[in-house]
Amino acid sequence: MTDASPKRRLKDWPYLLPMGAFMLFVQIGVSFKAYFEFAYVARTFICGGLVIWLWKRFEKVRWTHLGLGTLVGVVGTFQWIGIECGLMALFGTQGFNIGPIQLVSDISEARDYPGMFEESTWLYLFLAVRLFGPVLVVPVVEELFWRDWGWRTIAAPNDFSMVPVGEYERNAFWLLPVFFAFVHVQFITAIV
């Protein structure tokens, strides 16, 4: 190992910590169904807090393509929902979980859901967090991990910070969508 290795690790951890916490709380929610709501709320606030705390350690975001980014985000949202709706029409709802559609499903099934939903106030607070998390926290955690750190790590394995954010790299362009898709239930939608 070179002398740069400890410095490299110091550059990595701000990108890895929020995603690691995110995955931990996802696993808790999946493994212990009775704690799903608590794991979801903790995931949203702890990961959001970690991103805010670590913000100065991330490479500065350049807002040079804000219009294009907004357009791609809107198209991507409709693409995600559209493909999921098409897959649900073809194969039924088993195994599919789409943000807005799942939120409606959460509301309709809330009375049968075990846990903290005996009082409607808790239900609506949870649903607010359920909407807040996927809209504001998850995209930031995923973008920092996958595109900022992962993309650049594939491009420059010894020191990802040598690659500017947003620089095209052929291997990352083809590999990262596959990695990203493998951690989503919605594999087909995620890879698109």
Side-chain angles (χ1 to χ4, degrees), residues 100-118:
I101 294 172
Q102 184 62 42
L103 185 62
V104 171
S105 175
D106 286 349
I107 294 169
S108 66
E109 296 176 10
R111 297 294 170 215
D112 300 328
Y113 201 91
M116 63 190 232
F117 291 150
E118 279 88 32

Side-chain angles (χ1 to χ4, degrees), residues 14-144:
Y15 295 93
L16 300 175
L17 185 61
M19 182 55 89
F22 182 84
M23 296 306 291
L24 174 68
F25 286 113
V26 166
Q27 192 58 48
I28 290 170
V30 168
S31 299
F32 306 100
K33 300 278 187 209
Y35 297 106
F36 171 79
E37 306 97 334
F38 298 105
Y40 198 93
V41 171
R43 174 176 76 193
T44 299
F45 286 103
I46 289 173
C47 292
L50 285 170
V51 167
I52 291 168
W53 176 57
L54 296 167
W55 192 254
K56 290 183 180 181
R57 294 184 179 268
F58 301 123
E59 180 136 349
K60 298 290 182 237
V61 175
R62 292 168 286 153
W63 301 97
T64 55
H65 296 87
L66 186 58
L68 178 61
T70 302
L71 176 65
V72 169
V74 169
V75 169
T77 299
F78 283 103
Q79 168 266 325
W80 189 283
I81 293 170
I83 289 177
E84 281 300 295
C85 287
L87 290 171
M88 288 170 60
L90 286 173
F91 302 108
T93 60
Q94 189 65 26
F96 296 99
N97 174 9
I98 339 169
I101 294 172
Q102 184 62 42
L103 185 62
V104 171
S105 175
D106 286 349
I107 294 169
S108 66
E109 296 176 10
R111 297 294 170 215
D112 300 328
Y113 201 91
M116 63 190 232
F117 291 150
E118 279 88 32
E119 294 187 34
S120 61
T121 304
W122 288 114
L123 167 65
Y124 291 110
L125 284 172
F126 173 71
L127 292 175
V129 171
R130 185 97 162 104
L131 185 60
F132 169 76
V135 171
L136 296 176
V137 176
V138 175
V140 175
V141 169
E142 286 188 343
E143 289 298 315
L144 287 169

